[in-house]
Amino acid sequence: MSGLVIAIDGPAASGKGTLARRLAERFGLRHLDTGLLYRATACVLLDEGLPLNDVEAATAAARGLSLVDFDEARLRSREMGEAASVVAAIPPVRAALVDLQRRFAACEKGAVLDGRDIGTVICPNARVKIYVTASPETRAQRRALELTARGEKTDYQSVLADVKKRDERDGSRSVAPLKPAADAIVLDTSDLDIEEAFRVAVEIVERAK
Ligand code: C5P
């Protein structure tokens, strides 16, 4: 049997990244945060002073991507999350990143990948698919706390507006829109803390292993 592939999808600030990282540790698997690929693609364009909707430049940036070239703290900034969702709506950018993600998932032992389209497009045969979600208000609260802890200036209302804008953009694009795979288990973390959410996620994986 092939390795244990765990696909974790969900909207911005749903907690999927933390869950994916902890599941990878728990089950001894590698982890790929696929949002970083889109963030890094956007970062190249911003650094070159190019518009985010420049299809050719964005596609070339995605093709030539090497994550070691980037400062992770900058990639994780609010500005880059917003910019990433613009380049992520460009179909050739998504196409340019498919192989890299599938190669990562094909590792013998398996892997955990988190993003928006892992269970639907990148790894439709993943053994485990979890769609992590929470209300926009809960997600905005968590994201505002996280950004403040990192020293970024923010306020709850503008983070909530960002979260809603990104949901709308990620959910309405023509290619690989954000939605749970038909066979994904939906994990709503609105009323769960991270430990509770992790416990439920581990149970889901144990059952599917
Ligand atoms: O998950 P994260 O917030 O880092 O993702 C940043 C943006 O990258 C998302 O808003 C989304 O537009 C895009 N993305 C995507 N597909 C993925 C991962 C991220 O479209 N698999």
Side-chain angles (χ1 to χ4, degrees):
M1 207 199 282
S2 56
L4 173 63
V5 175
I6 304 179
I8 311 281
D9 289 302
S14 56
K16 65 184 185 315
T18 307
L19 279 181
R21 198 180 59 245
R22 292 194 54 183
L23 285 174
E25 274 166 24
R26 171 78 166 69
F27 292 98
L29 303 170
R30 298 194 304 163
H31 168 221
L32 179 63
D33 170 353
T34 64
L36 285 180
L37 304 174
Y38 296 93
R39 288 170 181 260
T41 302
C43 190
V44 171
L45 297 187
L46 292 177
D47 284 350
E48 290 179 3
L50 295 168
L52 292 167
N53 59 2
D54 181 330
V55 175
E56 255 175 54
T59 309
R63 282 208 190 104
L65 218 56
S66 161
L67 282 182
V68 288
D69 298 339
F70 298 89
D71 167 20
E72 193 175 329
R74 177 148 182 252
L75 289 189
R76 292 197 184 280
S77 68
R78 186 172 161 191
E79 176 202 13
M80 224 48 86
E82 178 62 26
S85 78
V86 178
V87 299
I90 301 174
V93 166
R94 305 198 70 83
L97 295 170
V98 169
D99 277 357
L100 187 160
Q101 296 174 81
R102 288 198 179 139
R103 277 203 309 273
F104 189 93
C107 164
E108 206 179 315
K109 273 185 84 176
V112 182
L113 285 82
D114 76 273
R116 303 289 187 290
D117 62 341
I118 308 303
T120 50
V121 175
I122 304 295
C123 304
N125 297 322
R127 188 115 42 96
V128 182
K129 295 183 187 178
I130 305 178
Y131 186 86
V132 186
T133 189
S135 69
E137 290 74 19
T138 306
R139 290 186 281 126
Q141 247 159 19
R142 288 179 189 157
R143 181 51 57 93
L145 281 175
E146 188 188 311
L147 291 169
T148 308
R150 261 197 261 140
E152 272 199 58
K153 253 185 142 168
T154 109
D155 68 282
Y156 169 76
Q157 285 304 337
S158 70
V159 176
L160 179 61
D162 264 17
V163 159
K164 288 185 172 167
K165 186 156 63 161
R166 267 222 270 163
D167 284 359
E168 164 63 22
R169 199 182 282 139
D170 292 347
S172 64
R173 66 183 176 219
S174 62
V175 180
L178 173 67
K179 62 164 194 233
D183 52 350
I185 293 178
V186 177
L187 174 54
D188 188 329
T189 65
S190 300
D191 299 318
L192 303 179
D193 66 25
I194 181 62
E195 292 307 325
E196 291 165 331
F198 179 59
R199 213 173 313 126
V200 176
V202 168
E203 275 168 24
I204 294 171
V205 176
E206 291 287 3
R207 272 203 306 271
K209 253 173 58 168

Short mmCIF file of all heavy atoms in Angstrom, two decimals, residues 28-98:
data_model
loop_
_atom_site.label_atom_id
_atom_site.label_comp_id
_atom_site.label_asym_id
_atom_site.label_seq_id
_atom_site.Cartn_x
_atom_site.Cartn_y
_atom_site.Cartn_z
N GLY A 28 4.90 11.01 12.24
CA GLY A 28 6.25 10.90 11.66
C GLY A 28 6.29 11.13 10.16
O GLY A 28 6.99 10.43 9.43
N LEU A 29 5.51 12.11 9.69
CA LEU A 29 5.45 12.38 8.24
C LEU A 29 6.02 13.76 7.93
O LEU A 29 6.08 14.63 8.81
CB LEU A 29 3.98 12.34 7.77
CG LEU A 29 3.23 11.04 8.04
CD1 LEU A 29 1.74 11.23 7.74
CD2 LEU A 29 3.79 9.91 7.20
N ARG A 30 6.40 13.98 6.69
CA ARG A 30 6.81 15.33 6.29
C ARG A 30 5.57 16.20 6.09
O ARG A 30 4.47 15.68 5.83
CB ARG A 30 7.58 15.27 4.96
CG ARG A 30 8.85 14.45 5.05
CD ARG A 30 9.71 14.70 3.85
NE ARG A 30 9.01 14.44 2.59
CZ ARG A 30 9.41 14.88 1.41
NH1 ARG A 30 10.49 15.61 1.30
NH2 ARG A 30 8.74 14.58 0.31
N HIS A 31 5.77 17.50 6.18
CA HIS A 31 4.63 18.42 6.06
C HIS A 31 4.92 19.50 5.05
O HIS A 31 5.99 20.10 5.07
CB HIS A 31 4.35 19.05 7.45
CG HIS A 31 3.40 20.21 7.39
ND1 HIS A 31 3.58 21.36 8.13
CD2 HIS A 31 2.26 20.41 6.68
CE1 HIS A 31 2.60 22.20 7.89
NE2 HIS A 31 1.79 21.66 7.00
N LEU A 32 3.97 19.77 4.16
CA LEU A 32 4.10 20.90 3.23
C LEU A 32 2.91 21.85 3.41
O LEU A 32 1.75 21.45 3.25
CB LEU A 32 4.14 20.40 1.77
CG LEU A 32 4.26 21.49 0.71
CD1 LEU A 32 5.58 22.26 0.84
CD2 LEU A 32 4.16 20.90 -0.70
N ASP A 33 3.25 23.09 3.78
CA ASP A 33 2.24 24.15 3.85
C ASP A 33 2.18 24.76 2.46
O ASP A 33 3.03 25.56 2.08
CB ASP A 33 2.72 25.17 4.90
CG ASP A 33 1.89 26.43 4.91
OD1 ASP A 33 1.02 26.60 4.04
OD2 ASP A 33 2.13 27.27 5.80
N THR A 34 1.17 24.36 1.68
CA THR A 34 1.15 24.76 0.26
C THR A 34 0.84 26.25 0.07
O THR A 34 1.13 26.81 -0.97
CB THR A 34 0.16 23.91 -0.56
OG1 THR A 34 -1.17 24.15 -0.09
CG2 THR A 34 0.48 22.43 -0.46
N GLY A 35 0.27 26.89 1.10
CA GLY A 35 0.02 28.33 1.02
C GLY A 35 1.33 29.10 0.81
O GLY A 35 1.35 30.14 0.14
N LEU A 36 2.42 28.55 1.34
CA LEU A 36 3.72 29.22 1.19
C LEU A 36 4.14 29.31 -0.28
O LEU A 36 4.84 30.24 -0.67
CB LEU A 36 4.81 28.47 1.98
CG LEU A 36 4.81 28.64 3.50
CD1 LEU A 36 5.95 27.83 4.12
CD2 LEU A 36 4.94 30.11 3.90
N LEU A 37 3.70 28.35 -1.07
CA LEU A 37 4.07 28.37 -2.50
C LEU A 37 3.43 29.57 -3.19
O LEU A 37 4.07 30.25 -3.99
CB LEU A 37 3.62 27.07 -3.19
CG LEU A 37 4.14 25.76 -2.58
CD1 LEU A 37 3.50 24.56 -3.28
CD2 LEU A 37 5.65 25.69 -2.67
N TYR A 38 2.16 29.82 -2.85
CA TYR A 38 1.45 30.95 -3.46
C TYR A 38 1.96 32.27 -2.88
O TYR A 38 2.07 33.28 -3.58
CB TYR A 38 -0.06 30.79 -3.27
CG TYR A 38 -0.57 29.58 -4.00
CD1 TYR A 38 -0.67 28.34 -3.36
CD2 TYR A 38 -0.87 29.64 -5.36
CE1 TYR A 38 -1.07 27.20 -4.04
CE2 TYR A 38 -1.28 28.51 -6.05
CZ TYR A 38 -1.38 27.29 -5.39
OH TYR A 38 -1.78 26.17 -6.08
N ARG A 39 2.29 32.25 -1.58
CA ARG A 39 2.84 33.46 -0.94
C ARG A 39 4.19 33.81 -1.58
O ARG A 39 4.48 34.98 -1.85
CB ARG A 39 3.00 33.23 0.56
CG ARG A 39 1.65 33.21 1.29
CD ARG A 39 1.79 32.74 2.72
NE ARG A 39 0.50 32.71 3.38
CZ ARG A 39 0.04 33.65 4.21
NH1 ARG A 39 0.77 34.70 4.51
NH2 ARG A 39 -1.16 33.55 4.76
N ALA A 40 5.03 32.80 -1.82
CA ALA A 40 6.36 33.06 -2.39
C ALA A 40 6.24 33.55 -3.83
O ALA A 40 6.98 34.43 -4.26
CB ALA A 40 7.20 31.78 -2.33
N THR A 41 5.28 33.01 -4.57
CA THR A 41 5.06 33.46 -5.95
C THR A 41 4.70 34.95 -5.95
O THR A 41 5.24 35.75 -6.72
CB THR A 41 3.93 32.63 -6.61
OG1 THR A 41 4.32 31.25 -6.57
CG2 THR A 41 3.68 33.06 -8.04
N ALA A 42 3.79 35.33 -5.05
CA ALA A 42 3.39 36.74 -4.94
C ALA A 42 4.57 37.61 -4.53
O ALA A 42 4.74 38.73 -5.03
CB ALA A 42 2.25 36.86 -3.92
N CYS A 43 5.39 37.08 -3.65
CA CYS A 43 6.55 37.82 -3.13
C CYS A 43 7.52 38.18 -4.27
O CYS A 43 8.03 39.31 -4.33
CB CYS A 43 7.24 36.95 -2.09
SG CYS A 43 8.49 37.79 -1.15
N VAL A 44 7.72 37.25 -5.19
CA VAL A 44 8.61 37.52 -6.33
C VAL A 44 8.08 38.72 -7.13
O VAL A 44 8.82 39.64 -7.47
CB VAL A 44 8.71 36.27 -7.25
CG1 VAL A 44 9.45 36.60 -8.55
CG2 VAL A 44 9.39 35.12 -6.53
N LEU A 45 6.78 38.71 -7.39
CA LEU A 45 6.20 39.80 -8.19
C LEU A 45 6.30 41.14 -7.46
O LEU A 45 6.68 42.15 -8.05
CB LEU A 45 4.72 39.52 -8.51
CG LEU A 45 4.46 38.29 -9.37
CD1 LEU A 45 3.00 38.22 -9.74
CD2 LEU A 45 5.29 38.31 -10.64
N LEU A 46 5.99 41.13 -6.18
CA LEU A 46 6.07 42.38 -5.41
C LEU A 46 7.50 42.91 -5.40
O LEU A 46 7.74 44.10 -5.60
CB LEU A 46 5.56 42.17 -3.98
CG LEU A 46 4.06 41.87 -3.84
CD1 LEU A 46 3.70 41.62 -2.38
CD2 LEU A 46 3.22 43.02 -4.38
N ASP A 47 8.47 42.00 -5.22
CA ASP A 47 9.87 42.43 -5.18
C ASP A 47 10.33 42.99 -6.52
O ASP A 47 11.20 43.85 -6.59
CB ASP A 47 10.79 41.27 -4.77
CG ASP A 47 10.71 41.00 -3.27
OD1 ASP A 47 10.10 41.82 -2.57
OD2 ASP A 47 11.24 39.96 -2.83
N GLU A 48 9.74 42.47 -7.59
CA GLU A 48 10.14 42.97 -8.91
C GLU A 48 9.29 44.15 -9.36
O GLU A 48 9.42 44.63 -10.49
CB GLU A 48 10.05 41.83 -9.94
CG GLU A 48 11.14 40.78 -9.69
CD GLU A 48 11.08 39.61 -10.66
OE1 GLU A 48 10.23 39.62 -11.57
OE2 GLU A 48 11.90 38.68 -10.48
N GLY A 49 8.38 44.59 -8.49
CA GLY A 49 7.54 45.74 -8.83
C GLY A 49 6.53 45.45 -9.92
O GLY A 49 6.10 46.35 -10.64
N LEU A 50 6.16 44.17 -10.07
CA LEU A 50 5.21 43.79 -11.13
C LEU A 50 3.80 43.65 -10.56
O LEU A 50 3.64 43.29 -9.38
CB LEU A 50 5.64 42.45 -11.75
CG LEU A 50 6.97 42.48 -12.49
CD1 LEU A 50 7.47 41.07 -12.81
CD2 LEU A 50 6.83 43.30 -13.77
N PRO A 51 2.78 43.89 -11.38
CA PRO A 51 1.41 43.72 -10.87
C PRO A 51 1.11 42.25 -10.59
O PRO A 51 1.60 41.36 -11.30
CB PRO A 51 0.52 44.25 -12.01
CG PRO A 51 1.38 44.30 -13.22
CD PRO A 51 2.81 44.37 -12.77
N LEU A 52 0.29 41.99 -9.57
CA LEU A 52 0.01 40.60 -9.17
C LEU A 52 -0.78 39.84 -10.23
O LEU A 52 -0.82 38.62 -10.22
CB LEU A 52 -0.75 40.59 -7.85
CG LEU A 52 0.06 41.07 -6.64
CD1 LEU A 52 -0.85 41.32 -5.45
CD2 LEU A 52 1.15 40.05 -6.28
N ASN A 53 -1.42 40.57 -11.13
CA ASN A 53 -2.20 39.87 -12.17
C ASN A 53 -1.43 39.72 -13.48
O ASN A 53 -2.01 39.44 -14.53
CB ASN A 53 -3.54 40.57 -12.40
CG ASN A 53 -3.33 42.01 -12.83
OD1 ASN A 53 -2.19 42.46 -12.99
ND2 ASN A 53 -4.41 42.74 -13.01
N ASP A 54 -0.10 39.87 -13.43
CA ASP A 54 0.74 39.64 -14.62
C ASP A 54 0.90 38.12 -14.78
O ASP A 54 1.71 37.47 -14.11
CB ASP A 54 2.10 40.33 -14.41
CG ASP A 54 3.02 40.16 -15.62
OD1 ASP A 54 2.93 39.14 -16.32
OD2 ASP A 54 3.84 41.07 -15.84
N VAL A 55 0.10 37.56 -15.68
CA VAL A 55 0.01 36.10 -15.79
C VAL A 55 1.35 35.46 -16.14
O VAL A 55 1.77 34.48 -15.53
CB VAL A 55 -1.07 35.70 -16.84
CG1 VAL A 55 -1.09 34.19 -17.07
CG2 VAL A 55 -2.44 36.18 -16.39
N GLU A 56 2.04 36.05 -17.12
CA GLU A 56 3.32 35.46 -17.55
C GLU A 56 4.37 35.48 -16.44
O GLU A 56 5.03 34.48 -16.17
CB GLU A 56 3.87 36.21 -18.75
CG GLU A 56 3.69 35.44 -20.03
CD GLU A 56 4.12 36.26 -21.24
OE1 GLU A 56 5.26 36.75 -21.23
OE2 GLU A 56 3.28 36.39 -22.14
N ALA A 57 4.50 36.64 -15.80
CA ALA A 57 5.51 36.78 -14.75
C ALA A 57 5.16 35.87 -13.57
O ALA A 57 6.03 35.23 -12.97
CB ALA A 57 5.62 38.23 -14.30
N ALA A 58 3.87 35.81 -13.22
CA ALA A 58 3.45 35.00 -12.08
C ALA A 58 3.70 33.51 -12.36
O ALA A 58 4.17 32.76 -11.49
CB ALA A 58 1.97 35.24 -11.77
N THR A 59 3.43 33.10 -13.59
CA THR A 59 3.63 31.69 -13.95
C THR A 59 5.12 31.35 -13.93
O THR A 59 5.52 30.29 -13.42
CB THR A 59 3.03 31.40 -15.34
OG1 THR A 59 1.68 31.88 -15.35
CG2 THR A 59 3.03 29.92 -15.66
N ALA A 60 5.94 32.26 -14.46
CA ALA A 60 7.40 32.03 -14.45
C ALA A 60 7.90 31.96 -13.02
O ALA A 60 8.74 31.11 -12.67
CB ALA A 60 8.11 33.14 -15.22
N ALA A 61 7.39 32.83 -12.16
CA ALA A 61 7.81 32.82 -10.75
C ALA A 61 7.43 31.49 -10.09
O ALA A 61 8.22 30.89 -9.36
CB ALA A 61 7.17 33.99 -10.01
N ALA A 62 6.23 31.01 -10.36
CA ALA A 62 5.77 29.75 -9.76
C ALA A 62 6.63 28.59 -10.25
O ALA A 62 7.02 27.72 -9.47
CB ALA A 62 4.30 29.51 -10.10
N ARG A 63 6.97 28.60 -11.54
CA ARG A 63 7.78 27.51 -12.11
C ARG A 63 9.17 27.47 -11.51
O ARG A 63 9.73 26.40 -11.30
CB ARG A 63 7.92 27.69 -13.62
CG ARG A 63 6.70 27.26 -14.35
CD ARG A 63 7.05 26.79 -15.77
NE ARG A 63 5.81 26.62 -16.50
CZ ARG A 63 5.37 27.47 -17.41
NH1 ARG A 63 6.07 28.52 -17.75
NH2 ARG A 63 4.20 27.26 -18.00
N GLY A 64 9.72 28.66 -11.24
CA GLY A 64 11.11 28.71 -10.78
C GLY A 64 11.27 28.72 -9.28
O GLY A 64 12.35 28.98 -8.76
N LEU A 65 10.18 28.43 -8.59
CA LEU A 65 10.18 28.60 -7.14
C LEU A 65 11.14 27.69 -6.38
O LEU A 65 11.21 26.50 -6.62
CB LEU A 65 8.77 28.30 -6.63
CG LEU A 65 8.24 29.14 -5.51
CD1 LEU A 65 8.28 30.61 -5.87
CD2 LEU A 65 6.80 28.72 -5.22
N SER A 66 11.86 28.28 -5.43
CA SER A 66 12.65 27.50 -4.49
C SER A 66 12.46 28.16 -3.13
O SER A 66 12.87 29.30 -2.94
CB SER A 66 14.12 27.52 -4.92
OG SER A 66 14.91 27.15 -3.83
N LEU A 67 11.80 27.45 -2.22
CA LEU A 67 11.37 28.10 -0.98
C LEU A 67 12.52 28.56 -0.10
O LEU A 67 12.36 29.45 0.73
CB LEU A 67 10.45 27.17 -0.18
CG LEU A 67 9.01 27.10 -0.68
CD1 LEU A 67 8.19 26.19 0.20
CD2 LEU A 67 8.38 28.48 -0.75
N VAL A 68 13.70 27.99 -0.32
CA VAL A 68 14.83 28.38 0.54
C VAL A 68 15.22 29.83 0.31
O VAL A 68 15.92 30.43 1.12
CB VAL A 68 16.07 27.49 0.32
CG1 VAL A 68 15.87 26.11 0.90
CG2 VAL A 68 16.46 27.41 -1.14
N ASP A 69 14.80 30.42 -0.82
CA ASP A 69 15.18 31.80 -1.13
C ASP A 69 14.40 32.83 -0.34
O ASP A 69 14.62 34.03 -0.51
CB ASP A 69 14.94 32.10 -2.63
CG ASP A 69 15.78 31.20 -3.52
OD1 ASP A 69 16.79 30.68 -3.02
OD2 ASP A 69 15.42 31.04 -4.69
N PHE A 70 13.43 32.43 0.48
CA PHE A 70 12.52 33.41 1.08
C PHE A 70 12.62 33.46 2.59
O PHE A 70 12.93 32.46 3.24
CB PHE A 70 11.07 33.06 0.69
CG PHE A 70 10.84 33.13 -0.78
CD1 PHE A 70 11.05 32.03 -1.58
CD2 PHE A 70 10.43 34.32 -1.38
CE1 PHE A 70 10.85 32.09 -2.96
CE2 PHE A 70 10.23 34.40 -2.74
CZ PHE A 70 10.44 33.28 -3.54
N ASP A 71 12.32 34.64 3.11
CA ASP A 71 12.25 34.82 4.55
C ASP A 71 10.84 34.41 4.99
O ASP A 71 9.86 35.04 4.59
CB ASP A 71 12.54 36.31 4.85
CG ASP A 71 12.18 36.67 6.27
OD1 ASP A 71 12.07 35.76 7.11
OD2 ASP A 71 11.98 37.88 6.53
N GLU A 72 10.74 33.36 5.80
CA GLU A 72 9.42 32.82 6.13
C GLU A 72 8.54 33.82 6.86
O GLU A 72 7.33 33.88 6.63
CB GLU A 72 9.57 31.52 6.94
CG GLU A 72 8.25 30.78 7.01
CD GLU A 72 8.32 29.44 7.69
OE1 GLU A 72 9.37 28.78 7.62
OE2 GLU A 72 7.30 29.05 8.30
N ALA A 73 9.15 34.65 7.72
CA ALA A 73 8.34 35.62 8.46
C ALA A 73 7.66 36.59 7.49
O ALA A 73 6.48 36.94 7.64
CB ALA A 73 9.22 36.39 9.44
N ARG A 74 8.40 36.99 6.46
CA ARG A 74 7.81 37.90 5.48
C ARG A 74 6.70 37.19 4.70
O ARG A 74 5.63 37.75 4.45
CB ARG A 74 8.91 38.40 4.54
CG ARG A 74 8.40 39.28 3.47
CD ARG A 74 9.38 40.34 3.04
NE ARG A 74 8.77 41.16 2.03
CZ ARG A 74 9.10 41.12 0.74
NH1 ARG A 74 10.08 40.37 0.32
NH2 ARG A 74 8.46 41.89 -0.12
N LEU A 75 6.95 35.94 4.33
CA LEU A 75 5.93 35.19 3.58
C LEU A 75 4.64 35.07 4.39
O LEU A 75 3.55 35.08 3.84
CB LEU A 75 6.42 33.78 3.22
CG LEU A 75 7.51 33.66 2.17
CD1 LEU A 75 7.71 32.20 1.80
CD2 LEU A 75 7.19 34.48 0.93
N ARG A 76 4.79 34.97 5.71
CA ARG A 76 3.60 34.76 6.54
C ARG A 76 2.89 36.07 6.91
O ARG A 76 1.93 36.06 7.67
CB ARG A 76 3.96 33.98 7.80
CG ARG A 76 4.35 32.55 7.48
CD ARG A 76 4.32 31.65 8.67
NE ARG A 76 4.80 30.32 8.35
CZ ARG A 76 4.07 29.38 7.75
NH1 ARG A 76 2.82 29.64 7.43
NH2 ARG A 76 4.59 28.20 7.48
N SER A 77 3.35 37.20 6.39
CA SER A 77 2.72 38.48 6.75
C SER A 77 1.33 38.57 6.13
O SER A 77 0.98 37.85 5.19
CB SER A 77 3.59 39.64 6.27
OG SER A 77 3.57 39.67 4.85
N ARG A 78 0.56 39.48 6.67
CA ARG A 78 -0.81 39.68 6.20
C ARG A 78 -0.82 40.15 4.74
O ARG A 78 -1.63 39.70 3.93
CB ARG A 78 -1.41 40.75 7.10
CG ARG A 78 -2.84 41.00 6.89
CD ARG A 78 -3.27 41.92 8.00
NE ARG A 78 -4.49 42.56 7.68
CZ ARG A 78 -4.98 43.56 8.38
NH1 ARG A 78 -4.34 44.02 9.42
NH2 ARG A 78 -6.13 44.10 8.04
N GLU A 79 0.10 41.05 4.41
CA GLU A 79 0.19 41.57 3.04
C GLU A 79 0.39 40.41 2.05
O GLU A 79 -0.24 40.36 0.99
CB GLU A 79 1.39 42.53 2.96
CG GLU A 79 1.66 43.07 1.57
CD GLU A 79 3.11 43.57 1.38
OE1 GLU A 79 3.98 43.28 2.23
OE2 GLU A 79 3.35 44.23 0.36
N MET A 80 1.23 39.47 2.42
CA MET A 80 1.55 38.38 1.49
C MET A 80 0.39 37.39 1.37
O MET A 80 0.19 36.80 0.31
CB MET A 80 2.83 37.67 1.96
CG MET A 80 3.80 37.37 0.87
SD MET A 80 4.17 38.74 -0.23
CE MET A 80 5.47 39.52 0.67
N GLY A 81 -0.38 37.21 2.43
CA GLY A 81 -1.55 36.32 2.36
C GLY A 81 -2.56 36.87 1.37
O GLY A 81 -3.13 36.14 0.53
N GLU A 82 -2.76 38.14 1.44
CA GLU A 82 -3.69 38.82 0.55
C GLU A 82 -3.19 38.73 -0.90
O GLU A 82 -3.94 38.38 -1.82
CB GLU A 82 -3.74 40.29 1.03
CG GLU A 82 -4.59 41.23 0.25
CD GLU A 82 -6.04 40.85 0.26
OE1 GLU A 82 -6.49 40.19 1.21
OE2 GLU A 82 -6.72 41.19 -0.73
N ALA A 83 -1.91 39.01 -1.10
CA ALA A 83 -1.33 38.97 -2.45
C ALA A 83 -1.36 37.54 -3.00
O ALA A 83 -1.62 37.32 -4.19
CB ALA A 83 0.11 39.50 -2.41
N ALA A 84 -1.14 36.56 -2.11
CA ALA A 84 -1.13 35.15 -2.54
C ALA A 84 -2.49 34.77 -3.13
O ALA A 84 -2.57 34.04 -4.12
CB ALA A 84 -0.80 34.24 -1.35
N SER A 85 -3.56 35.28 -2.53
CA SER A 85 -4.88 34.84 -3.02
C SER A 85 -5.18 35.45 -4.40
O SER A 85 -6.02 34.94 -5.12
CB SER A 85 -5.97 35.13 -2.00
OG SER A 85 -6.35 36.48 -2.00
N VAL A 86 -4.47 36.51 -4.76
CA VAL A 86 -4.63 37.06 -6.12
C VAL A 86 -3.91 36.17 -7.13
O VAL A 86 -4.50 35.73 -8.13
CB VAL A 86 -4.10 38.52 -6.20
CG1 VAL A 86 -4.24 39.05 -7.61
CG2 VAL A 86 -4.85 39.42 -5.21
N VAL A 87 -2.63 35.84 -6.87
CA VAL A 87 -1.91 35.00 -7.84
C VAL A 87 -2.48 33.57 -7.88
O VAL A 87 -2.43 32.91 -8.91
CB VAL A 87 -0.37 34.95 -7.60
CG1 VAL A 87 0.26 36.31 -7.71
CG2 VAL A 87 -0.01 34.30 -6.30
N ALA A 88 -3.06 33.13 -6.75
CA ALA A 88 -3.60 31.76 -6.69
C ALA A 88 -4.83 31.60 -7.58
O ALA A 88 -5.24 30.47 -7.88
CB ALA A 88 -3.95 31.40 -5.26
N ALA A 89 -5.42 32.71 -8.01
CA ALA A 89 -6.60 32.61 -8.88
C ALA A 89 -6.21 32.52 -10.35
O ALA A 89 -7.07 32.40 -11.21
CB ALA A 89 -7.50 33.83 -8.64
N ILE A 90 -4.89 32.56 -10.65
CA ILE A 90 -4.43 32.49 -12.05
C ILE A 90 -4.21 31.01 -12.42
O ILE A 90 -3.31 30.35 -11.86
CB ILE A 90 -3.11 33.28 -12.22
CG1 ILE A 90 -3.31 34.75 -11.81
CG2 ILE A 90 -2.59 33.17 -13.65
CD1 ILE A 90 -2.03 35.58 -11.80
N PRO A 91 -5.01 30.45 -13.34
CA PRO A 91 -4.91 29.00 -13.62
C PRO A 91 -3.50 28.50 -13.94
O PRO A 91 -3.08 27.47 -13.39
CB PRO A 91 -5.90 28.78 -14.76
CG PRO A 91 -6.93 29.87 -14.55
CD PRO A 91 -6.16 31.06 -14.04
N PRO A 92 -2.70 29.17 -14.81
CA PRO A 92 -1.36 28.62 -15.09
C PRO A 92 -0.43 28.63 -13.88
O PRO A 92 0.52 27.82 -13.82
CB PRO A 92 -0.80 29.52 -16.20
CG PRO A 92 -1.89 30.41 -16.64
CD PRO A 92 -3.00 30.34 -15.66
N VAL A 93 -0.67 29.52 -12.94
CA VAL A 93 0.13 29.51 -11.70
C VAL A 93 -0.17 28.23 -10.94
O VAL A 93 0.73 27.51 -10.50
CB VAL A 93 -0.17 30.76 -10.83
CG1 VAL A 93 0.39 30.59 -9.42
CG2 VAL A 93 0.39 32.01 -11.48
N ARG A 94 -1.45 27.90 -10.82
CA ARG A 94 -1.82 26.68 -10.10
C ARG A 94 -1.24 25.45 -10.81
O ARG A 94 -0.69 24.55 -10.18
CB ARG A 94 -3.35 26.55 -9.99
CG ARG A 94 -4.03 27.75 -9.36
CD ARG A 94 -5.43 27.39 -8.88
NE ARG A 94 -5.36 26.50 -7.72
CZ ARG A 94 -5.18 26.90 -6.47
NH1 ARG A 94 -5.07 28.18 -6.19
NH2 ARG A 94 -5.10 26.03 -5.50
N ALA A 95 -1.34 25.46 -12.15
CA ALA A 95 -0.84 24.31 -12.92
C ALA A 95 0.66 24.14 -12.70
O ALA A 95 1.16 23.01 -12.58
CB ALA A 95 -1.14 24.51 -14.41
N ALA A 96 1.39 25.26 -12.61
CA ALA A 96 2.85 25.20 -12.45
C ALA A 96 3.25 24.59 -11.11
O ALA A 96 4.37 24.12 -10.96
CB ALA A 96 3.44 26.60 -12.59
N LEU A 97 2.35 24.60 -10.15
CA LEU A 97 2.70 24.12 -8.80
C LEU A 97 2.21 22.71 -8.49
O LEU A 97 2.48 22.17 -7.42
CB LEU A 97 2.16 25.11 -7.75
CG LEU A 97 2.80 26.52 -7.80
CD1 LEU A 97 2.05 27.48 -6.90
CD2 LEU A 97 4.27 26.45 -7.40
N VAL A 98 1.49 22.10 -9.45
CA VAL A 98 0.89 20.79 -9.18
C VAL A 98 1.96 19.70 -8.97
O VAL A 98 1.92 18.96 -7.99
CB VAL A 98 -0.07 20.38 -10.33
CG1 VAL A 98 -0.47 18.92 -10.21
CG2 VAL A 98 -1.30 21.26 -10.33
#
